Amino acid sequence: MNYYEAFMARAYAMELEANERYAQFAEQLDSHNNREVAQMFRKLSEVEALHAKRILEEMKWPSLPALPPAYAWETAEAPETAPFDGLHYLMQPYHALEIALQCELQAQKYFEDIVASKAPAAVRKAAAEMAEEEREHVRLIRAWMKKVPQPRPGWDEDPD
């Protein structure tokens, strides 16, 4: 596997992991009857699935190849994967957007770091395109956050 293929394999894995985590969050919030936020996580999952699909199509891979050590992230999970500890069964849409914003910023930084590295030109070019996509996602999420009410103090209090 060359450096470009290794990079694209990592990018695909990152998108796939984000897709799966958002889908898990949607299922959990559905089980707590928090349908509005579950739907928001479902939408985020769909966006990540589209990114993953686009990478597979571009690379003409039938599925994810084995992940190479090149371009590995520093933690057990990819930079764009939302942490489980951010989920709360009473969370509101604003909270879901906060989580998504943090994930997009982390993904943007991951790609920007590769752009600034000594990676081959084709890898840096692909990373620059993906960093720009993540910047656009950050802009969209920030705009969306302005349209969603911020949670009031005590939003996480459950009288039951």
Side-chain angles (χ1 to χ4, degrees):
M1 179 176 290
N2 66 37
Y3 285 108
Y4 181 73
E5 291 169 333
F7 168 75
M8 294 303 282
R10 284 282 171 186
Y12 174 74
M14 187 165 77
E15 299 294 351
L16 191 62
E17 195 172 290
N19 159 261
E20 291 170 354
R21 182 61 50 83
Y22 285 143
Q24 290 169 338
F25 282 6
E27 286 177 30
Q28 286 197 359
L29 289 167
D30 264 339
S31 72
H32 289 288
N33 295 315
N34 191 339
R35 307 256 187 262
E36 184 180 16
V37 181
Q39 185 57 35
M40 187 168 288
F41 278 123
R42 205 167 279 108
K43 177 68 176 162
L44 291 166
S45 176
E46 291 168 6
V47 169
E48 300 302 344
L50 288 174
H51 295 162
K53 181 180 180 212
R54 193 179 75 232
I55 291 170
L56 277 184
E57 289 170 353
E58 179 183 327
M59 298 305 293
K60 298 178 177 45
W61 290 332
S63 62
L64 175 66
L67 279 181
Y71 310 109
W73 30 85
E74 297 176 5
T75 60
E77 295 181 319
E80 200 169 15
T81 302
F84 271 117
D85 64 358
L87 193 65
H88 189 286
Y89 73 102
L90 294 176
M91 70 190 314
Q92 297 171 19
Y94 191 86
H95 297 117
L97 292 171
E98 283 180 317
I99 289 171
L101 177 62
Q102 194 60 28
C103 292
E104 297 298 330
L105 287 168
Q106 290 169 187
Q108 178 184 330
K109 181 180 180 335
Y110 170 76
F111 292 125
E112 288 172 344
D113 287 349
I114 292 172
V115 171
S117 75
K118 294 181 188 219
V123 171
R124 287 184 314 208
K125 181 179 184 282
E129 291 169 5
M130 290 182 186
E132 182 52 38
E133 278 185 13
E134 301 301 344
R135 276 191 285 282
E136 180 60 23
H137 297 164
V138 166
R139 285 190 287 274
L140 290 170
I141 290 170
R142 284 185 171 146
W144 199 356
M145 288 175 87
K146 290 177 183 174
K147 297 174 187 177
V148 175
Q150 288 192 21
R152 294 186 178 156
W155 65 268
D156 57 348
E157 293 175 11
D158 186 354
D160 291 336

